[in-house]
Amino acid sequence: MSDDPFIKSLLTLIRAQDSSGAWETMSDEELLAPFIVTKEQRREIPIMGDPDPDILWRVELYYNAIAFAIEKATGCAASPIMKIHHEGWGRMLLTCGKLVVVNSYLRDLHRFGFDDVASMSTKATKIIAEAAAVIAKFPEVAAA
Amino acid sequence: MSDDPFIKSLLTLIRAQDSSGAWETMSDEELLAPFIVTKEQRREIPIMGDPDPDILWRVELYYNAIAFAIEKATGCAASPIMKIHHEGWGRMLLTCGKLVVVNSYLRDLHRFGFDDVASMSTKATKIIAEAAAVIAKFPEVAAA
């Protein structure tokens, strides 16, 4: 798990927010645990009311780690902008220069999570690869 | 004033939100009045605390009217995304396809407003022209 560059970035970003030192004794697995929501668990989470702010914080961390990986892979700094309605749906953009490299529509964020760490990384890696392909296609826009 | 295409779009968008009919008897000047904040008034508005939600609503309307005008001028539908911290600063993007056509950093939104209707329109028209120029430069990205 610690070899996966996306998971490494995500853990770096999570630990960077540990301003009180409370998570220093926690293992990587413990820090990633809230990102893992199995299909069965997901089905049991109601999508009524507002999702927990901690979930929105995890969504931001997840996309920030993607932005970080895009910058590592392409050299283009990716800047995130997320607009989430309090009921748990919205939109997340990552931009490099004048180029939109990731455009995700999000919904039912109450249930945000992944089956396991491997599938979280697979999904992120796919988004990162697509962003790198868009940058390779329009390099002058990404630099604009 | 009613000849100005930007001001016309803005008034259309404002009146479209009048679900109760309360503004039907109001003149265009009355509807635009909250957008006008003179330099003297601006100086007197404290930038402590959170700006009034009505101000953020006006900022959204202003940029929606710009998006509307960009679509009219270029045929490319511009999609807005605004992320504002509750203390009154943030970022506003308009995107066409994969192209960022407007990228505005906003601050001190407590004082959002323009010296007069003419200068509001001049500023918006400049943003619209810049967006149209970016679209003309990268048409395949705007269509992506």
Side-chain angles (χ1 to χ4, degrees), chain A residues 97-100, chain B residues 66-67 70 74 76-79 92-104 126-136 138 141-142:
Chain A
K98 288 193 184 301
L99 188 62
V100 176
Chain B
I66 288 175
I70 291 169
T74 67
C76 297
S79 145
M92 174 81 217
L93 288 186
L94 296 181
T95 59
C96 293
K98 289 193 183 301
L99 187 63
V100 176
V101 297
V102 175
N103 181 13
S104 296
K126 188 165 168 278
I127 296 173
I128 295 159
E130 285 170 358
V134 174
I135 293 170
F138 303 115
V141 187

Side-chain angles (χ1 to χ4, degrees), chain B:
Chain B
M1 181 164 79
S2 57
D3 291 340
D4 186 303
F6 172 75
I7 300 296
K8 258 169 105 173
S9 301
L10 181 60
L11 283 165
T12 305
L13 292 176
I14 296 172
R15 292 204 183 271
Q17 301 221 359
D18 180 23
S19 48
S20 64
W23 305 336
E24 265 174 29
T25 55
M26 284 173 77
S27 68
D28 291 352
E29 286 72 16
E30 283 174 293
L31 289 180
L32 293 175
F35 287 86
I36 308 307
V37 182
T38 64
K39 275 201 186 71
E40 292 68 37
Q41 289 172 321
R42 207 169 297 146
R43 219 173 287 138
E44 280 164 25
I45 300 170
I47 53 167
M48 305 275 288
D50 295 355
D52 193 315
D54 281 2
I55 296 178
L56 304 187
W57 175 73
R58 284 198 290 274
V59 176
E60 289 210 68
L61 279 176
Y62 178 73
Y63 281 97
N64 286 353
I66 288 175
F68 196 65
I70 291 169
E71 184 167 356
K72 258 194 192 164
T74 67
C76 297
S79 145
I81 180 166
M82 179 164 94
K83 174 79 173 261
I84 302 291
H85 188 270
H86 64 90
E87 284 178 351
W89 47 268
R91 196 171 164 216
M92 174 81 217
L93 288 186
L94 296 181
T95 59
C96 293
K98 289 193 183 301
L99 187 63
V100 176
V101 297
V102 175
N103 181 13
S104 296
Y105 294 92
L106 307 167
R107 63 187 177 88
D108 298 348
L109 282 180
H110 314 68
R111 295 176 175 171
F112 177 76
F114 302 88
D115 291 340
D116 47 46
V117 173
S119 83
M120 171 160 72
S121 176
T122 305
K123 282 187 182 168
T125 305
K126 188 165 168 278
I127 296 173
I128 295 159
E130 285 170 358
V134 174
I135 293 170
K137 197 172 171 192
F138 303 115
E140 75 280 28
V141 187

Side-chain angles (χ1 to χ4, degrees), chain A residues 43-103:
Chain A
R43 221 173 285 138
E44 279 164 24
I45 301 170
I47 53 168
M48 304 276 288
D50 294 357
D52 193 314
D54 281 2
I55 297 179
L56 303 186
W57 176 73
R58 285 198 288 275
V59 176
E60 288 210 69
L61 278 175
Y62 178 73
Y63 281 96
N64 286 353
I66 288 175
F68 198 63
I70 291 169
E71 183 166 358
K72 260 194 192 164
T74 66
C76 298
S79 146
I81 181 167
M82 180 165 94
K83 174 77 173 264
I84 302 291
H85 189 270
H86 64 89
E87 285 179 351
W89 47 268
R91 195 172 165 215
M92 174 81 217
L93 288 186
L94 295 181
T95 59
C96 293
K98 288 193 184 301
L99 188 62
V100 176
V101 297
V102 174
N103 181 12

